Amino acid sequence: MTERTRLVIFDVDGTLVDSQGDILGAMSHSFTAQNLPVPARRDILGIVGLSLDVAMSRLAPEADAQGVAALVQGYKDAYMELRARTGAAQSSPLYPGALEALRELHAMPGLLLGVATGKSKRGLDKLVEAHDLERYFVTRQVADFHPSKPHPSMIYQAMAEAGTAPSETVMIGDTSFDMEMARAAGVGALGVSWGYHPVAHLQAAHRILDNFAALPGALAGMWERAS
């Protein structure tokens, strides 16, 4: 009997790593440089996961296309500068238990891991390299090549690259965008309580996790439900 291939897709910011310091700092720099009021912390964290152009349009609805582009570039420049000061591993540390969970899942036969993030390819590559995570992910979906979350394009491509069906795929994330993306793609959705969106916003999740230690059991439950 052929063993099933299953895929677990992780969001990055707010799920695997806590990058809010650099995100908040880069947003503050970008808006200040354009002589715009800096959005509230709650509002900034509320758009984490969206592609930058979509995020900036939400944070600055009065800005025209040129203004949005300036905010995006200002954010990118500031983020790179902030990351360079301390290094990606320090400025975007892994959440407690994240590395152990990746190691455990990676060792399971027939289980593949991937990521789907609003980060750019360059940003994700630097983060993966800084934390020495290259070996774990067979598919990496980034904002450069897809519509913004919650469009399901990232999950569709991840499944195509991994060779898995929706019933054998689970998305893990901390935002409503991740959960809505998972539902739109017809895959399982596990929310996490330690990220940037309030748990009350994760209503589309099949289950909410409070720590990484609960992940293997939650996945087993998801697979059993899909069988």
Side-chain angles (χ1 to χ4, degrees):
M1 183 175 178
T2 303
E3 187 171 14
R4 291 176 174 176
T5 299
R6 289 165 167 162
L7 175 64
V8 176
I9 307 171
F10 289 91
D11 169 57
V12 177
D13 296 310
T15 300
L16 288 176
V17 302
D18 186 3
S19 49
Q20 65 177 292
D22 282 353
I23 292 171
L24 294 169
M27 281 293 185
S28 177
H29 179 91
S30 179
F31 274 76
T32 299
Q34 298 301 314
N35 296 313
L36 293 172
V38 177
R41 176 182 182 275
R42 176 188 65 254
D43 295 333
I44 293 174
L45 294 182
I47 55 79
V48 173
L50 296 175
S51 297
L52 272 177
D53 56 340
V54 176
M56 292 304 188
S57 294
R58 291 196 181 188
L59 290 175
E62 73 285 355
D64 58 16
Q66 184 176 357
V68 168
L71 287 169
V72 168
Q73 190 60 50
Y75 176 89
K76 289 181 177 179
D77 293 343
Y79 197 97
M80 288 177 60
E81 181 180 346
L82 290 168
R83 184 179 59 202
R85 290 179 187 174
T86 56
Q90 287 71 41
S91 64
S92 296
L94 288 163
Y95 281 104
L99 183 57
E100 293 78 5
L102 291 175
R103 287 172 176 164
E104 181 177 354
L105 297 178
H106 184 253
M108 293 181 179
L111 185 61
L112 303 177
L113 305 180
V115 294
T117 175
K119 284 184 174 296
S120 67
K121 182 179 186 303
R122 179 175 62 177
L124 178 62
D125 287 350
K126 285 186 176 296
L127 186 67
V128 167
E129 180 182 1
H131 286 292
D132 193 24
L133 302 178
E134 288 93 340
R135 70 181 73 92
Y136 295 112
F137 304 120
V138 301
T139 178
R140 302 184 200 174
Q141 304 306 318
V142 295
D144 305 57
F145 312 119
H146 296 281
S148 179
K149 297 176 182 181
H151 191 284
S153 175
M154 290 187 187
I155 293 180
Y156 289 154
Q157 185 61 33
M159 290 192 294
E161 292 180 6
T164 57
S167 61
E168 307 296 344
T169 302
V170 172
M171 176 72 202
I172 302 171
D174 69 304
T175 72
S176 59
F177 313 128
D178 298 314
M179 302 301 97
E180 292 164 9
M181 178 174 67
R183 290 290 193 166
V187 307
L190 291 177
V192 303
S193 64
W194 56 81
Y196 302 152
H197 278 198
V199 170
H201 292 184
L202 308 183
Q203 296 174 350
H206 291 104
R207 178 175 170 180
I208 303 296
L209 306 180
D210 290 324
N211 53 65
F212 273 105
L215 179 53
L219 287 172
M222 296 291 289
W223 307 139
E224 183 177 351
R225 178 187 300 180
S227 297

